[in-house]
Amino acid sequence: MSKLIHELVPPYIRELSPYVPGRPIEEVERELNMHPIKLSSNENPLGPSPLAIGAARKALAESNRYPDGSGFYLRSALAKKHDIPAEHIILGGGSTEIIDLAARMVLVPGDCGVTSYGSFPLYHIAIRATGARYFDVPMRDYHFDLEAIARDLPPETKLIFLANPNNPTGTMFNAGDLDDFLARVSENVLVVLDEAYCDYVDDPNYSRSIDLVRSGRNILVLRTFSKVYGLAGLRIGYGLGAADLLGEMNKIRGPFNTSGVAQAAALAALDDAEHVRRSVESNRAGLAQLTAGLKELGVKFVPSVANFLLVILGGDAESLTAELLESGVIVRPMGWMGFPNAMRVTVGTRDENEKFLQALAKLHKATAHSSAHRVHSPEGDTQGI
């Protein structure tokens, strides 16, 4: 780094490590000269809604025009879906943009932002990028430890990031757990609740987050079109919160932060209940397929309510994921997210899941005659790869 850049850029920015996205299929194809399967980025393997594709194509013809900066029609549709006034909804370039906006809006140097390191890395990146203090509360059994977070909050805390379900562990807390947590947290603290994977959860006690927004609680709920709706490449998501809170956030967001193509596709995707149903059913079947296959191999994992599994290994996950890559299977080692002995595997199609399990079984067989390692799992110690 040049002396000029060193002097211009604040130390709290220089010290950050950037978010590293999953490797694109095209890059792996070039390196290995094969077409791999990608189970590394929690994408919808069924693709986008056909209705969304059609709407995006139509909107593309108007790409010479700036998009509607307020996203009026999409926000109106979301208001109807959630039975909440449109002024309680803000659009973002995926929910990731709103994560950054929330931190920028409430944190300054001297404040504190709180989350757990074993969660989505953009939370602690967003906190630290403001110059505020980052306070980490370790997870307990791969879950957010809500009791410890509420108990140990530093007095200068202004912001808490929670993911429900959590990425990369796939675990969740229920509505009662959140109610108990909020009862112990000051209203002067903004709680950002990221529910990107909410559509996959099959639990009637999962969440009452929209009710909390309606009641005026100081909470910002994040949703996305990147997962069950299959629009990850168009980068569109939204937040639900108090109207005056979002009014302040609108002052610092980009004026055209979501494209007209993305808005049109998202609006059409909301109307495609059949595509959502098929995506949820496919994921449910895929989770069952993967969990049964991993149990048969004796490989431990964290039970998940989302569209991915955290697989617990007997050693450094980097080498195993590299070997899987040689077999044309892209998964993500999780050391950079706090789990060096684990990899995250996205639920794919039935054929993709089977290819992963077969590739893993070959590696498992290759190490079967070597000394077994001991690994820690949610169910205790067991032998692993």
Side-chain angles (χ1 to χ4, degrees), residues 16-20 100 120-130 134:
L16 285 175
S17 296
Y19 176 82
V20 181
D100 181 63
F120 192 38
L122 285 184
Y123 304 150
H124 74 80
I125 291 174
I127 291 168
R128 294 170 62 196
T130 67
Y134 163 58

Side-chain angles (χ1 to χ4, degrees), residues 45-96:
L46 302 188
S49 152
L51 297 182
I53 294 173
R57 284 175 175 158
K58 184 177 180 181
L60 191 61
E62 301 293 327
S63 293
N64 58 311
R65 307 296 183 188
Y66 286 106
D68 175 2
S70 71
F72 174 82
Y73 291 107
L74 179 56
R75 287 172 57 244
S76 297
L78 289 167
K80 182 178 180 181
K81 172 182 172 66
H82 295 298
D83 190 24
I84 196 168
E87 56 265 30
H88 291 270
I89 299 171
I90 186 172
L91 302 183
S95 55
T96 54

Side-chain angles (χ1 to χ4, degrees), residues 272-332:
D272 198 342
E274 175 61 20
H275 181 263
V276 171
R277 183 193 64 78
R278 288 196 307 112
S279 297
V280 170
E281 289 183 358
S282 173
N283 186 72
R284 186 181 299 119
L287 266 180
Q289 178 188 5
L290 287 174
T291 55
L294 290 170
K295 286 179 180 178
E296 186 176 342
L297 291 173
V299 177
K300 289 296 177 177
F301 57 90
V302 180
S304 172
V305 298
N307 69 335
F308 55 85
L309 282 170
L310 187 70
V311 179
I312 312 300
L313 306 170
D316 185 359
E318 291 283 349
S319 59
L320 181 61
T321 55
E323 291 182 75
L324 287 170
L325 185 61
E326 293 293 328
S327 299
V329 179
I330 311 173
V331 296
R332 294 207 77 177

Side-chain angles (χ1 to χ4, degrees), residues 87-90 98 100-107 190 218 220 241-254:
E87 56 265 30
H88 291 270
I89 299 171
I90 186 172
I98 306 176
D100 181 63
L101 288 174
R104 289 170 53 202
M105 182 176 61
V106 302
L107 294 177
L190 175 63
N218 194 21
L220 177 62
D244 54 353
L245 175 78
L246 301 189
E248 297 302 312
M249 191 176 293
N250 275 319
K251 295 176 182 179
I252 60 172
R253 73 169 175 86

